Amino acid sequence: MSDQMQFIVEKLNQEPFRKSYNLITFDSLESMQLLQLLNDVLGEIDPKHVVDIREELPEQTAKRMLTLLGILKYKPPGSISDLSAFRQGLVTGSKPVIHPVLHWLLQRTNELKKRAYLARFLVKLEVPVEFLQDDTVADVNKQYEELMEAFKNLHKECEQLKTSGFSTAEIRRDISAMEEEKDQLIKRVERLKKRVETVQNHQRMLEIARQLRLEKEREESLAQQKQEQKNQLFHAEQRLQRAQLQLKEMHHAVVDSKPESLMKKLEEEINFNSYLATEKIPRELESKKKSVYFLQKTVAEPAMSQSDLNVLEVKINEVNAQINQLIEKRMSKYEPIDSKFSMYRQQASIISRKKEAKAEELQAAKEEMSSTERQMLQKTNQAQELEGSEVLKGDEFKHYVNKLRSKNTFYKKKRLEIAEITAEYGILQRTEELLKQRHEAIQQQLQAIEDKKGISGYSYTQEELERVSAVKSEMDEMKGRTLDNMSEMVKKLNTMVAEKKSSLAPVIKELRQLRQKCQELTQECDEKKIQYDSCAAGLESNRSTLEQEVKGLLEECIQEESNYRYVNCMKRNLEIQLQRAKEEMKTYVSQDPQERRKAIREQYTRMILEQENLGKKLREKQKVVRESHGPNMKQIKMWQDFEQLMECKRECFLKQQNQTAIGQVIQEGVWFQSGCTTQRGTSQGWRTIDGCKYGTVVPVYVRLCQTGRYARLPHTLALTCEPQATSVALKIAS
């Protein structure tokens, strides 16, 4: 509970609430403040609920909150009786009811906002059946349902676009970049147009270039179609090969088989398929449905904490233990040890389990066989793609092996030839190295001779001149070839341009006609669009007027329906009252006294008589109280005087204790004198005076310690007792 309150306080202190609560202030909130806080949270989820609850009745507030919580699919904990307590707690603002609701709402605020937004458009209005008999209302209701479905589809598309990874910022950046590129392209096109305008026949050349681009695009589309058709042909060939392979396998299976074996296989397969269709698959389907039902039920329930999960685990363990105990009791009651059927039941259960296990193994084996067949087909297709031939079998494979052997002998012969060639290549390489060494030695000797003769570098310059002359001749030949190629290319280009002109001439004529048609169609399209816009505007205005009329009629219908219900309730009340009046009249007129006693009039007359008798008794009692009021007040006054007298005596006694000249009052005894008798007693105890009457005045005497005489006190005591008493008890304090 403390974690729940802590979470609520943290969420309320954040945006958009900013309440600045702590645990103490939140726990000290009153019921009205809690209800207003709950209403603020609901208003944040649905703006229609932003109201001040002090301005509406508690019943309206509770109804509005319960409606929204029902739309948000909030499930209060507990049974049906707890639901009534939940409603009552929501009306009174009870903390045990409001706190869980706040915790549930603040946990999933964004999700609930979305749900409340969708509820505005997806909560269907229930139209009575008698109203749907009208064609106009039925059409409007059908249009309303179609719009609801359209809204669902648009909302799904919107959510898919939101979750597809495209953010609005990125889209805006892309749009801005594309607009910049568009501006740059427009500028480039304008520059190119300016440059082309100086060329002769530029319009015609532009048309030809446009036609060339269209033809290239058409060529690309045709190439793409060709590739698609090739892929389709390849897939068709693969299907054909698989079908041929299956046909071969079936032929092989049929060659070595007999009708009896085929029938036996078919019966086994039929039995297995019937077992799967009638027993296994329905059982698995039922278990899957149960698991899906429990999963949906679990998803629909509100979020649970760890403590709730622990409680559920404890309950599950207890229920499992009870189930085991009941199973043991049932087995001990209905399946005794000496029962003959227990053994057969066990064997049947074991056989059924084995049957299920074997069926699963067979299903797994079939799936594995199908997967291996698919793999084999894939491998054969790969082999055909790599080698271009089918996988060989039987005699073909033997022929292929013989062919490989002949190729192996040919390969060995060629390998020997390659070895001879490599040996000869080594000899030639060695000869080349020796010749290079000799050439270097000769070059050194030639350089030494040139140095002696004074013409050093002559051989090098001669070689360079020869090399340059050779390069020059090669360049001249290349130039001649390039000039010839350029002239041929120019001729080809001229011929191609002439061919293209001749081929594009009819196309250009058709294009001019198509342009005229396009202009006419665009004008017609503009006119039709104007007509459509005007018609759409008229229909929209008619629709708005019809919507207003429907809205007014709906409000009038609601008002009339409420009036009808009110009149119906009043009619029922009057009928009940009339029935009660008829029954009362019947009982009152009845001759049976027992029936007449049951009448309401007789009951009220009896009650009136009882109240009148009670009033008489109370008046008599009031009279007695008034008569005894005066003596009782007098008696109270006398006792108050007696209390003052005793208080005065106590004060005098305290003063006399401090005065030694006067003497002391000793506590030997006190004399009481009455009109009849006198008795003596000590001052600290109770003594009775017999023969006294009501209101007798008693003088009080005290004995002085110095003289031994008795002195009469200046006050007297009035004895109080009941009028019937003959004695009174009096206690004199020392």
Side-chain angles (χ1 to χ4, degrees):
M1 198 68 180
S2 60
D3 297 337
Q4 189 181 35
M5 290 179 65
Q6 183 68 33
F7 177 78
I8 293 170
V9 170
E10 288 178 358
K11 287 291 184 180
L12 290 175
N13 290 336
Q14 296 174 2
E15 292 290 340
F17 303 105
R18 302 179 67 182
K19 293 293 184 180
S20 66
Y21 286 146
N22 53 28
L23 290 175
I24 297 171
T25 56
F26 178 72
D27 190 52
S28 62
L29 291 176
E30 297 179 355
S31 60
M32 187 61 69
Q33 294 174 342
L34 272 177
L35 283 174
Q36 184 62 49
L37 186 60
L38 177 60
N39 189 77
D40 294 340
V41 176
L42 293 175
E44 180 63 26
I45 293 171
D46 191 356
K48 292 193 296 184
H49 293 265
V50 180
V51 295
D52 191 355
I53 61 173
R54 293 174 296 182
E55 297 178 357
E56 62 180 358
L57 296 175
E59 292 80 7
Q60 294 178 355
T61 304
K63 184 179 179 182
R64 178 170 54 79
M65 290 182 179
L66 286 170
T67 304
L68 182 58
L69 290 175
I71 291 171
L72 299 178
K73 296 183 180 180
Y74 173 73
K75 291 187 177 180
S79 59
I80 298 173
S81 59
D82 293 333
L83 289 176
S84 60
F86 172 77
R87 294 190 186 95
Q88 187 65 28
L90 190 63
V91 173
T92 58
S94 177
K95 290 181 181 179
V97 175
I98 301 297
H99 287 179
V101 177
L102 285 172
H103 184 261
W104 186 80
L105 292 174
L106 294 172
Q107 269 185 334
R108 44 183 70 82
T109 307
N110 295 326
E111 179 185 353
L112 296 177
K113 282 183 180 179
K114 180 179 176 183
R115 190 173 293 173
Y117 168 73
L118 293 176
R120 291 170 54 193
F121 306 101
L122 299 181
V123 174
K124 189 175 180 181
L125 295 174
E126 296 296 335
V127 182
V129 181
E130 56 270 16
F131 293 155
L132 290 175
Q133 300 299 324
D134 190 0
D135 295 336
T136 307
V137 177
D139 294 337
V140 172
N141 188 27
K142 185 177 180 181
Q143 187 180 4
Y144 166 70
E145 292 177 354
E146 291 175 354
L147 290 173
M148 189 180 291
E149 292 296 328
F151 175 77
K152 288 181 182 178
N153 297 328
L154 289 174
H155 182 71
K156 287 179 182 178
E157 292 177 1
C158 180
E159 291 296 324
Q160 290 175 0
L161 289 174
K162 286 181 180 179
T163 57
S164 61
F166 295 105
S167 63
T168 56
E170 292 179 356
I171 293 170
R172 287 174 182 171
R173 285 197 295 270
D174 294 339
I175 290 170
S176 61
M178 291 170 70
E179 288 178 352
E180 291 177 357
E181 291 178 359
K182 181 181 176 182
D183 296 335
Q184 292 176 3
L185 289 172
I186 289 169
K187 291 178 181 178
R188 288 182 63 186
V189 169
E190 290 177 353
R191 287 198 298 270
L192 290 172
K193 282 183 178 179
K194 290 178 180 179
R195 290 175 61 185
V196 171
E197 285 176 356
T198 58
V199 181
Q200 293 181 357
N201 298 326
H202 64 278
Q203 292 291 337
R204 186 178 179 185
M205 294 178 71
L206 287 173
E207 291 293 332
I208 293 168
R210 189 178 294 108
Q211 291 294 328
L212 180 62
R213 178 176 55 80
L214 293 173
E215 292 296 329
K216 285 183 178 180
E217 291 178 355
R218 184 181 176 186
E219 184 180 1
E220 289 177 358
S221 64
L222 290 173
Q224 188 176 2
Q225 290 178 4
K226 183 179 179 181
Q227 186 64 32
E228 289 177 357
Q229 289 178 0
K230 283 184 179 180
N231 293 329
Q232 292 177 2
L233 180 63
F234 177 71
H235 291 306
E237 288 177 353
Q238 284 184 345
R239 288 196 297 272
L240 179 62
Q241 289 173 3
R242 286 196 294 269
Q244 289 176 355
L245 183 62
Q246 290 178 0
L247 183 62
K248 286 181 182 179
E249 290 177 354
M250 291 179 71
H251 279 305
H252 287 299
V254 169
V255 168
D256 298 331
S257 62
K258 295 180 180 180
E260 292 82 4
S261 61
L262 290 173
M263 289 295 294
K264 190 175 181 181
K265 289 181 181 179
L266 287 173
E267 287 178 357
E268 290 177 356
E269 189 173 358
I270 289 167
N271 292 327
F272 176 71
N273 291 329
S274 62
Y275 168 73
L276 290 177
T278 57
E279 295 182 11
K280 186 178 178 183
I281 293 174
R283 188 165 55 249
E284 292 179 354
L285 184 62
E286 189 67 27
S287 64
K288 295 291 184 184
K289 285 182 179 179
K290 287 182 180 179
S291 61
V292 169
Y293 171 72
F294 288 124
L295 289 172
Q296 289 177 352
K297 190 176 180 182
T298 305
V299 170
E301 290 179 355
M304 304 173 100
S305 60
Q306 189 64 34
S307 60
D308 297 332
L309 292 174
N310 294 329
V311 172
L312 288 176
E313 287 179 357
V314 172
K315 288 183 180 179
I316 288 167
N317 294 328
E318 292 177 355
V319 172
N320 288 330
Q322 292 177 2
I323 290 168
N324 293 327
Q325 291 177 1
L326 292 173
I327 290 169
E328 291 176 357
K329 287 181 181 179
R330 186 176 66 82
M331 290 176 67
S332 62
K333 185 176 181 181
Y334 296 103
E335 295 185 2
I337 298 172
D338 57 347
S339 178
K340 295 180 181 180
F341 296 103
S342 61
M343 181 175 66
Y344 297 111
R345 288 197 185 100
Q346 290 176 0
Q347 289 179 359
S349 63
I350 290 167
I351 290 168
S352 64
R353 285 196 294 271
K354 286 183 179 179
K355 186 178 179 182
E356 292 177 358
K358 293 297 181 182
E360 291 177 356
E361 289 178 0
L362 182 59
Q363 188 70 20
K366 284 189 174 183
E367 292 176 357
E368 187 177 359
M369 186 175 70
S370 62
S371 65
T372 52
E373 287 178 355
R374 286 195 297 271
Q375 290 179 2
M376 186 178 70
L377 289 172
Q378 290 177 0
K379 296 295 183 183
T380 54
N381 293 327
Q382 290 178 3
Q384 289 177 5
E385 290 176 359
L386 293 173
E387 297 179 0
S389 60
E390 296 181 357
V391 179
L392 302 177
K393 293 181 181 180
D395 297 334
E396 294 178 354
F397 184 72
K398 291 179 182 179
H399 181 68
Y400 179 70
V401 170
N402 294 326
K403 191 175 179 181
L404 284 177
R405 286 174 182 171
S406 62
K407 285 184 179 181
N408 191 12
T409 56
F410 182 73
Y411 167 71
K412 288 179 180 178
K413 289 179 182 179
K414 293 296 180 182
R415 190 173 180 183
L416 291 172
E417 291 178 0
I418 289 169
E420 292 174 357
I421 290 168
T422 51
E424 188 176 357
Y425 171 72
I427 293 167
L428 292 173
Q429 192 174 7
R430 178 62 179 165
T431 305
E432 184 183 4
E433 290 178 355
L434 293 173
L435 290 173
K436 283 181 179 179
Q437 291 176 1
R438 287 179 65 184
H439 177 69
E440 290 177 356
I442 291 168
Q443 287 289 337
Q444 290 176 359
Q445 290 177 3
L446 181 60
Q447 189 175 3
I449 292 168
E450 287 176 354
D451 291 336
K452 286 180 181 180
K453 298 295 183 181
I455 53 172
S456 61
Y458 174 75
S459 61
Y460 177 73
T461 53
Q462 188 177 2
E463 290 177 357
E464 287 291 326
L465 289 172
E466 291 177 357
R467 187 177 63 81
V468 169
S469 62
V471 170
K472 184 176 180 299
S473 63
E474 289 178 359
M475 291 295 292
D476 293 336
E477 291 177 359
M478 190 180 293
K479 285 180 180 179
R481 287 196 298 272
T482 52
L483 289 172
D484 295 335
N485 292 328
M486 288 176 70
S487 62
E488 291 177 359
M489 189 179 293
V490 169
K491 290 179 181 179
K492 288 180 180 179
L493 288 173
N494 291 326
T495 55
M496 286 175 67
V497 168
E499 290 176 357
K500 290 292 182 182
K501 284 180 180 179
S502 61
S503 62
L504 290 174
V507 176
I508 291 168
K509 290 180 180 179
E510 292 178 359
L511 182 63
R512 288 173 182 172
Q513 295 176 0
L514 291 173
R515 279 183 180 175
Q516 292 177 359
K517 288 182 180 179
C518 179
Q519 291 177 358
E520 293 174 357
L521 290 173
T522 51
Q523 291 177 0
E524 187 177 357
C525 178
D526 294 335
E527 292 175 357
K528 296 292 184 182
K529 188 175 181 182
I530 292 167
Q531 293 177 2
Y532 170 76
D533 292 336
S534 62
C535 183
L539 291 174
E540 184 68 23
S541 62
N542 292 330
R543 187 179 67 83
S544 61
T545 54
L546 288 173
E547 285 180 352
Q548 291 177 359
E549 290 178 1
V550 169
K551 188 175 180 182
L553 290 172
L554 286 174
E555 292 176 356
E556 186 178 354
C557 178
I558 292 167
Q559 185 66 29
E560 293 296 332
E561 187 177 356
S562 63
N563 293 332
Y564 166 73
R565 290 178 179 174
Y566 174 73
V567 170
N568 197 7
C569 292
M570 293 298 293
K571 180 183 175 183
R572 289 180 184 176
N573 291 331
L574 291 173
E575 287 176 355
I576 291 167
Q577 291 178 3
L578 182 60
Q579 185 67 26
R580 290 178 64 186
K582 287 180 180 179
E583 291 177 356
E584 179 66 21
M585 194 68 185
K586 185 178 179 181
T587 53
Y588 183 71
V589 176
S590 178
Q591 299 297 329
D592 191 3
Q594 296 293 332
E595 291 291 332
R596 293 186 68 182
R597 285 181 183 177
K598 293 180 181 178
I600 297 173
R601 182 173 181 179
E602 295 293 332
Q603 293 177 5
Y604 278 119
T605 52
R606 286 197 298 272
M607 290 171 66
I608 289 167
L609 290 173
E610 290 175 359
Q611 294 297 325
E612 286 178 354
N613 294 329
L614 182 61
K616 287 180 182 180
K617 291 179 181 179
L618 291 173
R619 283 193 293 273
E620 290 175 358
K621 192 172 182 180
Q622 183 182 10
K623 184 177 179 182
V624 172
V625 170
R626 284 179 180 176
E627 289 176 356
S628 62
H629 179 68
N632 289 335
M633 293 300 293
K634 187 176 180 182
Q635 186 178 0
I636 291 169
K637 183 65 171 63
M638 293 173 72
W639 275 107
Q640 289 176 355
D641 294 339
F642 175 70
E643 185 180 3
Q644 291 178 2
L645 175 63
M646 297 307 294
E647 183 67 26
C648 182
K649 181 180 177 182
R650 188 177 67 82
E651 291 177 358
C652 292
F653 177 72
L654 293 174
K655 288 180 182 179
Q656 286 176 1
Q657 282 184 349
N658 295 325
Q659 293 176 1
T660 55
I662 299 173
Q664 295 180 346
V665 177
I666 61 173
Q667 297 180 2
E668 288 182 353
V670 179
W671 289 90
F672 303 102
Q673 184 177 4
S674 65
C676 300
T677 60
T678 302
Q679 293 185 359
R680 182 180 179 185
T682 62
S683 61
Q684 294 180 353
W686 291 94
R687 292 294 181 265
T688 59
I689 302 173
D690 298 330
C692 66
K693 294 182 179 179
Y694 180 75
T696 305
V697 177
V698 180
V700 180
Y701 295 88
V702 297
R703 183 181 178 185
L704 300 177
C705 61
Q706 291 182 353
T707 60
R709 296 179 181 179
Y710 293 93
R712 182 177 179 180
L713 292 176
H715 300 279
T716 59
L717 297 177
L719 303 179
T720 60
C721 62
E722 293 295 330
Q724 295 84 4
T726 56
S727 65
V728 68
L730 180 65
K731 182 176 181 182
I732 306 291
S734 63

